[in-house]
Amino acid sequence: MALTRHHPKAVIAAGCSDLVAQFREGLEPEVLISLQRIKELREISNEAGILRIGSLVSHTEGSRSPEILSSVPALAAAWGSIATVRIRYRGTLGGNLLARRYRYEMPVILSALGAQMQFEGGDIAVLPVSSLWDRDSLWDRTLGNVGILTAVTVDTASLLWFGYERSMRPLSTVSLAVRKNTAGLTVSAVCGSEYRQPFVLSHTAEATDIAELDPAFVGEVLAAQLPDEAGDYAGSIDYRRHLVGVLCRRLLAEATGTQRKG
């Protein structure tokens, strides 16, 4: 932390898989601070319903973690499905998030889970993963003063179900979580694409059991929230809404145990 305060514009190095790509793109840092020897950043725990994942945890370590497999197994499965074998061993959770590249998948996966980024040594202590894409956000204004990302936390106590669909990547991926709260059940879906920022969609239903959700109806409601700017040369907004509706419906059908086709 003292090094970052002394060198506020230093580039932080972790697994370096994305950092090497940034060097090739023209990044020329004057100061580089490596986190490789900080073993505490590799720890994973689950206490009182809060899953805490250190920012240096690699994709492979996250996908095989007993704590994650026992609390959110679909997160481990999703984590183990992304990137190449070489990157899965080198790439870290923190690097995948803070690179803020549209094509990276952990922001999509963790945003649906309502994950929170924990920082130390800067002006901010906590930011939601979904804030990575906020326009004119606090994040953009303070980039360089956020300190070091130490961990990501996920509240697992109210989580009923989570799933990730990447069969239509790069056109569209969808992560979806169902949580129980005082208003009923909240379905949070995040739509990702290699060409556009992730978009967060949400619907709350007056239900007490996940089996009461109608996959077709909820999928349609979520897809309708996709803004027009989600369309691009690879797919019109009408096509993307249709695709996201199908993927949401498919995930919800799995969640509710129905076998509806669409």
Side-chain angles (χ1 to χ4, degrees):
M1 300 303 173
L3 283 174
T4 61
R5 283 192 288 270
H6 189 67
H7 301 284
K9 295 184 179 181
V11 171
I12 306 299
C16 295
S17 58
D18 184 81
L19 195 56
V20 170
Q22 293 185 50
F23 289 159
R24 292 171 179 161
E25 294 166 354
L27 178 66
E28 297 179 344
E30 294 183 0
V31 178
L32 196 66
I33 298 176
S34 174
L35 305 180
Q36 282 288 335
R37 295 185 179 180
I38 305 178
K39 62 180 181 180
E40 290 83 359
L41 300 182
R42 298 185 183 279
E43 294 177 349
I44 302 174
S45 63
N46 191 351
E47 299 178 1
I50 300 298
L51 178 64
R52 183 181 178 87
I53 308 170
S55 59
L56 284 193
V57 172
S58 71
H59 300 330
T60 296
E61 291 168 338
S63 66
R64 296 176 179 176
S65 160
E67 289 82 5
I68 298 177
L69 285 167
S70 62
S71 55
V72 193
L75 169 58
W79 205 344
S81 70
I82 67 173
T84 64
V85 172
R86 181 181 66 81
I87 291 176
R88 281 202 288 269
Y89 276 94
R90 289 294 303 176
T92 64
L93 173 60
N96 196 281
L97 295 177
L98 298 186
R100 302 177 76 206
R101 297 186 187 261
Y102 293 165
R103 67 177 183 273
Y104 287 1
E105 297 175 76
M106 287 309 287
V108 178
I109 294 169
L110 290 170
S111 290
L113 285 165
Q116 304 285 315
M117 297 182 289
Q118 311 291 326
F119 294 90
E120 289 187 21
D123 301 328
I124 298 172
V126 181
L127 279 176
V129 172
S130 59
S131 72
L132 287 170
W133 313 110
D134 287 350
R135 288 179 174 178
D136 301 322
S137 66
L138 180 66
W139 172 264
D140 281 333
R141 294 198 302 274
T142 60
L143 189 60
N145 297 317
V146 294
I148 293 176
L149 174 65
T150 57
V152 168
T153 56
V154 176
D155 179 1
T156 63
S158 62
L159 183 65
L160 298 180
W161 192 88
F162 170 75
Y164 183 50
E165 247 288 1
R166 65 190 304 273
S167 61
M168 293 303 295
R169 191 175 184 274
L171 282 179
S172 184
T173 60
V174 171
S175 62
L176 186 146
V178 182
R179 289 185 181 275
K180 188 173 184 178
N181 51 52
T182 55
L185 300 184
T186 296
V187 182
S188 300
V190 178
C191 170
S193 156
E194 189 154 336
Y195 318 110
R196 284 287 185 271
Q197 69 174 73
F199 294 96
V200 180
L201 318 170
S202 180
H203 173 69
T204 298
E206 293 182 359
T208 58
D209 189 282
I210 197 169
E212 298 174 30
L213 296 175
D214 183 330
F217 172 75
V218 178
E220 185 176 340
V221 170
L222 292 170
Q225 297 173 20
L226 204 60
D228 290 348
E229 64 193 79
D232 59 26
Y233 65 91
S236 68
I237 183 57
D238 289 339
Y239 176 69
R240 287 197 183 279
R241 285 179 181 138
H242 170 74
L243 192 56
V244 168
V246 170
L247 295 178
C248 286
R249 187 161 66 244
R250 185 180 298 171
L251 286 166
L252 285 165
E254 182 180 348
T256 59
T258 61
Q259 298 297 319
R260 299 179 187 180
K261 298 180 179 179

